[in-house]
Amino acid sequence: MSLNYVTIGSNDVPRARAFYDALIPAIGGTLEAEYMPHAVCYLLRDGGRIWVVTPFDDQPATPGNGMMIGLSCATR
C-alpha cells in the first residue's frame, strides 16, 4: 500500500497556491495541473499527488471538510 494522493481543502485556492507554489518545489515536487480558481495539483517525487481544492460540497473548508487521503493498494 502507498499514498496515492491527499486533498487539502481551501476557501481561497489562488491564495493557497502562492504558499504551495513556494513549498512544493522545496520538497521535490512540481506543479502538475491547475483548475483555477477551484483546484491545483502538485506531483511529488514518488508519484503521489497533493491537491489543493475548494470542498466538493460547496461548504467552507474546515479541518474535516475538503480533506481526503487516497491509498493505492494492490488488492481490495
Side-chain angles (χ1 to χ4, degrees), residues 12-18 21 31 33-42 52:
D12 188 343
V13 173
R15 184 173 165 204
R17 180 181 175 177
D21 277 358
L31 177 68
E34 58 180 292
Y35 304 97
M36 299 303 283
H38 301 290
V40 62
C41 178
Y42 300 94
V52 180

Side-chain angles (χ1 to χ4, degrees), residues 33-67:
E34 58 180 292
Y35 304 97
M36 299 303 283
H38 301 290
V40 62
C41 178
Y42 300 94
L43 179 63
L44 303 176
R45 287 184 299 217
D46 67 354
R49 289 172 174 78
I50 295 176
W51 285 85
V52 180
V53 301
T54 55
F56 182 73
D57 64 1
D58 293 323
Q59 298 299 309
T62 61
N65 190 29
M67 305 298 285

